[in-house]
Amino acid sequence: MDASGLIFFFREIAPKHPLEQITFLCIGTDRSTGDALGPLTGSQLLEQGFPHVSGTMPSPCDADNLEARIAEIPAGQVVIAVDACLGPPASLGYFLTAAEPLRPAQSVGLNLPAVGHYSLAAIVDVNGPRPYRTLQSTPLYRVMVMAKQIALAAAAGFGMETGKAFQDGRNSLNN
């Protein structure tokens, strides 16, 4: 789906779970442009006013600390896992969403635990023979735009005032 479709993903979650019960788990590292989507999104979600976010630019949730971060999430929280991924050329810049756990780092061949009640994967670059290299050389601007799109769509989907610009179509992310 494209960025505008993300609002509907979040609108389907919002009536089922109060905002206080939602935790965003934003997976990635600030040491790779493509994989920075998670911490960039986490920081944007905090700026939008979401109360429970794990994985931000100052404190990323990456392969080294993922299990510890999962353990820190209080029981009863509904987790929306967010991560970057690689995909076919026609999918570049789009998002995959599901009402099921996310399998982080699959595109780079790591075996990390599945996480989340809901998952959102942003296709930040094209899958190829060297996924680590691809993530390292992914354009940062694309990743920053997609992180902002996720945060604004979440705010709009959960009915937060900060998401109103996105909801009303006045958002100019592509400028």
Side-chain angles (χ1 to χ4, degrees), residues 26-41 57 61 82-87 92 94-95 105 107-108 120-126 130-147 150:
C26 301
I27 303 163
T29 179
D30 60 345
R31 296 179 181 174
S32 165
T33 57
D35 207 27
L37 177 101
L40 284 167
T41 301
M57 288 302 286
C61 172
V82 177
D83 198 6
C85 73
L86 303 174
L92 183 62
Y94 286 88
F95 303 91
S107 62
V108 293
L120 190 162
I123 303 168
V124 298
D125 216 330
V126 177
R130 293 191 215 131
Y132 277 113
R133 182 174 166 87
T134 300
L135 283 172
Q136 291 291 335
S137 62
T138 296
L140 181 58
Y141 181 74
R142 179 185 308 137
V143 175
M144 291 173 65
V145 166
M146 293 182 81
I150 294 167

Side-chain angles (χ1 to χ4, degrees), residues 86-123:
L86 303 174
S91 298
L92 183 62
Y94 286 88
F95 303 91
L96 303 171
T97 60
E100 60 186 44
L102 183 134
R103 300 273 318 160
Q106 276 190 315
S107 62
V108 293
L110 293 179
N111 188 19
L112 297 174
V115 62
H117 299 89
Y118 298 93
S119 58
L120 190 162
I123 303 168

